[in-house]
Amino acid sequence: MSDILDHLSCDSCISKIHPLFRHLNEEECNHISLNKITESYKRGSLIYQEGNRMKGFFCVQKGIIKIFKTGFDGKEQIIRFAKPGDIIGYRSVISNEPACTSTEVIEDCIVCHIPPQILMTLIKTNGDFALELMKLSCKELGEANSFITDIAQKTVRERLAEILLYLDNEFGMDQNGVLNIFLTREELSNIVGTATESIIRLLSEFKNEKLIELNGRKIKILDRPGLKLIANI
Amino acid sequence: MSDILDHLSCDSCISKIHPLFRHLNEEECNHISLNKITESYKRGSLIYQEGNRMKGFFCVQKGIIKIFKTGFDGKEQIIRFAKPGDIIGYRSVISNEPACTSTEVIEDCIVCHIPPQILMTLIKTNGDFALELMKLSCKELGEANSFITDIAQKTVRERLAEILLYLDNEFGMDQNGVLNIFLTREELSNIVGTATESIIRLLSEFKNEKLIELNGRKIKILDRPGLKLIANI
DNA sequence: CGGTACGTTGAGTCATATCAACCATAGTGG
DNA sequence: CCACTATGGTTGATATGACTCAACGTACCG
């Protein structure tokens, strides 16, 4: 599932990737450099799974990862995505519980795997780092709260419009205006929280309304204001 | 809306209320004691509101508070409740953003209002405190993720059963087996994420199925295993 | 006493899920 | 190289859970 890559120093990477690491001194940075493992995963690989005990946390360098929970009947609910610069898996390390989500690679990726003690030690000894990590989890918490409200109150149509804008905002588009993330219809339905068929029908409605253009998994957003109107943003 | 109460030392209270404060030394504890304000709020009072800039965080000593977001059409979505020992409002202080939720008193309460700088300083200077607070926000994050999955995948009936068990678990019952929290039908619907009429119909179904007993806002749970079965837990 | 907030019930509607059939594509193994 | 299979996408028909609207009951309160 994963390949271990040649060792790369954190000096050149970590500080750029995330504000979290801005506050590390040279010693702390070297410590991470020496103890991290850089791994490469192909699309479809699972990095960790719900219920497993975490053996560290991950720093995403390249690629896209989906983070999801598996519901009662086996249907997955995508909670969020991680892209370069994001940190995943820290939640379970800190609360010292089994992972409450699974992560699967959407687009081939490279991640740095950092052992758990390093995280705990940094929190305890580097106040600025602790504060930055707190900010991160508080930000995620705020987003989760909004997501709860949306799922509870908005229609599927509204949510799909919102998710398309979210994906646009999060992953951007290429020079042709095509979203930089390719999801199956089923994955889209697992974000929105609906049936695959509903997503297919709504996407095709949006296409007819000239809001988007479809080409397989490639989605091109034509009318952002129109989508915002539908999404009630 | 709120009354300021006589000054009470934290020595006797804080350490008992939350594991968070176990790691404070005498000096830190005194500092909080001297700078906190103890306030009393009646049912219906708003402690803080979405969009406001937070002037500190709150430590709940007595009573019950609902934490909610207001959706597009003004309908509220209850995210969670706070009860004695819980901390509220710390999220916005840390991320230094306006509050993303509002809080309204469900049952008359007493809270200690602690200024924001104290929180920031403690995180930076007391590693154990920082870790404990991280654990708290990570726990909330895990709960939010589960909630997202439930709302997205379960039926209203399943969610109502689950919420009743959650309330039972969170607030317990009195000697007669009646839940220690009294919510209007509308509030129940704002947790479950449905219409008030649906909650009324389902509650009465549960009553007919001998799962619960109703007496106004008093709910007595008769058949926990039955509810678990319905909730898919 | 009238007003306001909450609770209840019924009827009708609509959004969404479900079920079923079918097509396209790519990978697999004999 | 072809049948075989798996996966993903699409469409139509049908069912139904849940919402909306409307009317009315109840209780408390100034």
Side-chain angles (χ1 to χ4, degrees):
Chain A
M1 282 308 226
S2 83
D3 290 319
I4 296 176
L5 302 187
D6 283 352
H7 186 81
L8 300 164
S9 164
C10 293
D11 283 336
S12 53
C13 133
I14 262 182
S15 58
K16 288 184 214 144
I17 294 273
H18 203 284
L20 198 53
F21 297 108
R22 258 206 309 263
H23 303 99
L24 300 187
N25 61 35
E26 202 180 330
E27 191 191 344
E28 290 166 331
C29 190
N30 284 338
H31 188 54
I32 293 186
S33 270
L34 293 172
N35 287 283
K36 77 170 196 313
I37 300 170
T38 305
E39 299 166 333
S40 148
Y41 291 85
K42 292 280 169 205
R43 172 170 171 92
S45 321
L46 291 163
I47 298 183
Y48 60 81
Q49 268 182 287
E50 209 169 335
N52 287 171
R53 206 143 263 291
M54 297 294 295
K55 30 183 189 26
F57 71 103
F58 301 85
C59 188
V60 182
Q61 300 223 21
K62 189 168 170 295
I64 301 175
I65 296 161
K66 73 175 171 192
I67 297 161
F68 63 95
K69 279 185 81 79
T70 307
F72 173 71
D73 53 357
K75 185 175 167 72
E76 67 184 46
Q77 176 62 41
I78 297 180
I79 305 288
R80 62 184 191 95
F81 295 93
K83 60 176 198 295
D86 289 342
I87 315 280
I88 61 175
Y90 71 92
R91 205 204 67 85
S92 304
V93 170
I94 287 165
S95 50
N96 194 28
E97 288 170 354
C100 76
T101 50
S102 304
T103 48
E104 186 183 319
V105 175
I106 292 272
E107 184 186 301
D108 295 359
C109 71
I110 296 173
V111 299
C112 287
H113 181 185
I114 301 167
Q117 321 83 266
I118 290 189
L119 184 65
M120 303 304 261
T121 307
L122 278 176
I123 293 174
K124 285 203 183 184
T125 59
N126 184 330
D128 292 310
F129 177 87
L131 184 57
E132 210 60 54
L133 190 58
M134 280 288 326
K135 280 188 186 175
L136 179 62
S137 80
C138 286
K139 181 168 150 282
E140 283 186 40
L141 197 47
E143 287 163 359
N145 288 345
S146 297
F147 198 22
I148 288 170
T149 310
D150 282 347
I151 295 197
Q153 301 196 351
K154 291 186 177 178
T155 64
V156 172
R157 185 181 163 86
E158 290 166 334
R159 276 181 273 152
L160 177 57
E162 185 167 11
I163 291 295
L164 290 176
L165 291 168
Y166 161 80
L167 293 175
D168 178 40
N169 198 50
E170 195 75 1
F171 298 101
M173 50 186 191
D174 65 14
Q175 63 278 22
N176 300 315
V178 173
L179 281 190
N180 277 328
I181 183 173
F182 307 115
L183 298 170
T184 64
R185 303 295 193 247
E186 190 180 1
E187 281 167 338
L188 274 173
S189 80
N190 290 342
I191 313 172
V192 174
T194 186
T196 308
E197 296 94 325
S198 300
I199 289 293
I200 290 171
R201 282 182 243 265
L202 284 168
L203 279 179
S204 120
E205 270 182 44
F206 285 178
K207 193 176 87 178
N208 291 336
E209 295 166 28
K210 304 269 181 279
L211 295 161
I212 59 171
E213 223 172 81
L214 291 173
N215 182 5
R217 289 182 200 169
K218 292 181 186 166
I219 300 177
K220 185 170 166 180
I221 296 185
L222 299 176
D223 181 2
R224 265 159 260 264
L227 285 174
K228 280 186 188 168
L229 210 62
I230 292 173
N232 289 325
I233 315 192
Chain B
M1 282 304 226
S2 82
D3 290 319
I4 296 176
L5 302 187
D6 284 351
H7 185 81
L8 299 163
S9 163
C10 292
D11 282 336
S12 53
C13 132
I14 264 185
S15 60
K16 287 183 215 145
I17 294 273
H18 203 283
L20 198 53
F21 298 108
R22 256 206 310 263
H23 303 101
L24 300 186
N25 61 36
E26 201 178 332
E27 191 192 345
E28 291 165 331
C29 190
N30 283 338
H31 188 54
I32 294 185
S33 271
L34 293 173
N35 287 283
K36 77 170 197 309
I37 301 169
T38 305
E39 300 165 333
S40 148
Y41 291 85
K42 291 281 169 207
R43 171 167 174 95
S45 322
L46 290 163
I47 298 185
Y48 59 82
Q49 266 183 287
E50 209 168 337
N52 288 171
R53 205 145 264 291
M54 297 294 295
K55 35 192 183 17
F57 70 104
F58 301 85
C59 189
V60 183
Q61 298 222 23
K62 189 166 170 300
I64 301 176
I65 296 161
K66 73 175 169 192
I67 297 160
F68 63 95
K69 278 184 82 77
T70 307
F72 173 72
D73 55 355
K75 185 176 166 71
E76 68 183 45
Q77 175 62 40
I78 297 180
I79 305 288
R80 63 185 190 93
F81 295 95
K83 61 177 201 294
D86 289 342
I87 315 280
I88 62 175
Y90 71 92
R91 205 205 67 85
S92 304
V93 170
I94 287 166
S95 50
N96 193 29
E97 289 168 353
C100 76
T101 50
S102 305
T103 47
E104 186 183 321
V105 175
I106 292 272
E107 185 186 300
D108 294 359
C109 71
I110 297 173
V111 300
C112 287
H113 181 187
I114 301 167
Q117 321 83 269
I118 291 189
L119 184 66
M120 303 305 261
T121 308
L122 278 176
I123 292 173
K124 285 201 183 186
T125 59
N126 185 330
D128 291 310
F129 176 88
L131 185 57
E132 209 62 53
L133 190 57
M134 280 286 327
K135 278 188 189 177
L136 180 60
S137 79
C138 286
K139 182 167 149 284
E140 283 186 39
L141 195 48
E143 286 163 359
N145 289 344
S146 297
F147 198 21
I148 288 170
T149 310
D150 281 347
I151 294 198
Q153 302 196 349
K154 291 186 178 177
T155 63
V156 171
R157 185 180 163 86
E158 288 166 334
R159 277 180 273 152
L160 177 58
E162 186 168 9
I163 291 295
L164 290 176
L165 291 168
Y166 161 80
L167 293 175
D168 178 41
N169 199 51
E170 197 74 1
F171 299 100
M173 50 187 192
D174 66 13
Q175 64 276 22
N176 301 316
V178 173
L179 282 190
N180 276 328
I181 182 173
F182 306 115
L183 299 170
T184 64
R185 303 295 193 246
E186 190 180 2
E187 281 167 338
L188 273 172
S189 80
N190 291 342
I191 315 173
V192 173
T194 188
T196 309
E197 297 94 324
S198 299
I199 289 292
I200 291 171
R201 282 182 243 267
L202 283 168
L203 280 179
S204 120
E205 270 182 46
F206 285 179
K207 192 176 89 177
N208 291 336
E209 294 166 28
K210 305 269 182 280
L211 295 161
I212 59 172
E213 223 171 82
L214 292 173
N215 183 5
R217 291 183 198 167
K218 291 181 187 167
I219 300 176
K220 184 170 166 179
I221 296 184
L222 298 176
D223 181 1
R224 266 158 259 263
L227 286 174
K228 280 186 190 168
L229 210 63
I230 291 172
N232 289 324
I233 316 192

